Amino acid sequence: MRVFVLILFIIVFCDCGGVLLEELPEPTGAQNLLVVVHGSGDTSDDWPMELRAAIHEKHGERLEWDIWTYDWDAYAASRMTASADGMVVGQLLGEALLESPYEYHHLHLVAHSAGSYVIHALSQTVSNQNSDITIHATYLDPFTANGFFDWSYGQREFGRHADYAENFFNKDDPVPSTNELLEHAHNFDVTALRPVHYNEDKTHWWPVDFYRDSVASDEQAGHVHAQMAVEEGFDTLRSRFPKGEETVMTE
């Protein structure tokens, strides 16, 4: 038994120094950056590209953002080490964004499932070194288990280093550690909004589809918060949607 536990410890908490950062896009001069991060089992060419396309269709030439769909599939594919590797990827991304040629004033970080570890570490790295950069973190059905031994890590930590954080989630998702409230985010339960014909085997993806579809709306809670954060600051969002609390969204 002790040998088995030791092996698990080595697998989960191994030195992740071998993680390499993908080449990053050059900045365009925009002051705002949206970073979209996929989870385990997909890539940046899937829903992140769909979200990017929806934003461009909605805002067109009025868009004052750079948008990155970051691919960390090489590390996300392994569910045993995705959380640890995601933290390293996020730290490296944060360090890169603090260096020339990047001079963004505001970051909006959107992630699904295990990708939450990437944006958590990214926001922690940036906020610790440059508090002048504002951070809006959006978690889509976040996977909160950190390895085998801490299943509530994300519940306690996700959103801690953001100026405003939000969590769009299902309450009937069969994927473990994705159905609980985050202490440092406002929690939007979108379970009741899922269409009746939605594939029940893919409910973990419903918060992603909901958020992508919300781009077209100026009324429904969702992507509209990104523009509110830039135009009105965070006070409005924080007062309307306090951290740790829950909004059950219905028709």
Side-chain angles (χ1 to χ4, degrees), residues 215-230:
V215 173
S217 173
D218 291 326
E219 304 296 331
Q220 187 178 52
H223 185 261
V224 69
H225 296 169
Q227 204 60 26
M228 290 174 62
V230 171

Side-chain angles (χ1 to χ4, degrees), residues 80-129:
M80 288 193 299
T81 57
S83 58
D85 286 349
M87 293 279 276
V88 178
V89 170
Q91 179 181 341
L92 294 175
L93 276 170
E95 291 172 351
L97 286 171
L98 290 166
E99 300 292 336
S100 179
Y102 303 112
E103 296 180 342
Y104 294 110
H105 295 181
H106 175 72
L107 305 178
H108 182 197
L109 313 176
V110 178
H112 175 232
S113 194
S116 299
Y117 281 89
V118 175
I119 68 169
H120 171 64
L122 195 168
S123 61
Q124 181 178 28
T125 301
V126 170
S127 65
N128 284 346
Q129 298 187 46

Side-chain angles (χ1 to χ4, degrees), residues 25-53:
E26 292 292 320
T28 66
Q31 294 186 346
N32 311 309
L33 172 65
L34 168 61
V35 182
V36 187
V37 184
H38 64 84
S40 189
D42 59 339
T43 74
S44 60
D45 290 330
D46 298 316
W47 69 269
M49 289 298 289
E50 294 177 356
L51 178 59
R52 180 177 183 173

Side-chain angles (χ1 to χ4, degrees), residues 32-249:
N32 311 309
L33 172 65
L34 168 61
V35 182
V36 187
V37 184
H38 64 84
S40 189
D42 59 339
T43 74
S44 60
D45 290 330
D46 298 316
W47 69 269
M49 289 298 289
E50 294 177 356
L51 178 59
R52 180 177 183 173
I55 294 171
H56 278 290
E57 181 178 353
K58 170 73 173 180
H59 297 285
E61 295 181 356
R62 295 176 290 110
L63 188 65
E64 298 178 349
W65 294 72
D66 285 345
I67 302 178
W68 296 357
T69 54
Y70 187 77
D71 191 356
W72 68 299
D73 181 53
Y75 309 108
S78 173
R79 289 173 171 81
M80 288 193 299
T81 57
S83 58
D85 286 349
M87 293 279 276
V88 178
V89 170
Q91 179 181 341
L92 294 175
L93 276 170
E95 291 172 351
L97 286 171
L98 290 166
E99 300 292 336
S100 179
Y102 303 112
E103 296 180 342
Y104 294 110
H105 295 181
H106 175 72
L107 305 178
H108 182 197
L109 313 176
V110 178
H112 175 232
S113 194
S116 299
Y117 281 89
V118 175
I119 68 169
H120 171 64
L122 195 168
S123 61
Q124 181 178 28
T125 301
V126 170
S127 65
N128 284 346
Q129 298 187 46
N130 188 344
S131 59
D132 290 334
I133 300 175
T134 55
I135 300 174
H136 174 189
T138 300
Y139 296 91
L140 305 177
D141 224 34
F143 184 77
T144 62
N146 188 5
F148 291 96
F149 307 108
D150 191 349
W151 286 82
S152 62
Y153 177 89
Q155 296 169 40
R156 304 188 315 271
E157 299 298 328
F158 288 167
R160 180 185 291 274
H161 305 284
D163 293 277
Y164 170 75
E166 56 198 2
N167 169 32
F168 295 90
F169 73 112
N170 290 322
K171 275 199 169 173
D172 59 353
D173 190 340
V175 176
S177 84
T178 62
N179 299 334
E180 304 301 326
L181 305 186
L182 305 185
E183 294 180 16
H184 299 282
H186 190 84
N187 301 273
F188 295 91
D189 177 3
V190 298
T191 310
L193 299 181
R194 189 170 65 239
V196 294
H197 57 76
Y198 199 85
N199 188 336
E200 292 297 323
D201 294 329
K202 295 186 176 181
T203 54
H204 185 45
W205 298 94
W206 166 237
V208 168
D209 292 340
F210 163 83
Y211 192 77
R212 180 200 60 220
D213 294 344
S214 77
V215 173
S217 173
D218 291 326
E219 304 296 331
Q220 187 178 52
H223 185 261
V224 69
H225 296 169
Q227 204 60 26
M228 290 174 62
V230 171
E231 295 176 353
E232 304 177 28
F234 290 107
D235 287 345
T236 299
L237 285 168
R238 286 192 291 245
S239 63
R240 288 181 59 188
F241 308 115
K243 66 180 179 180
E245 296 188 10
E246 179 183 15
T247 296
V248 178
M249 299 184 67

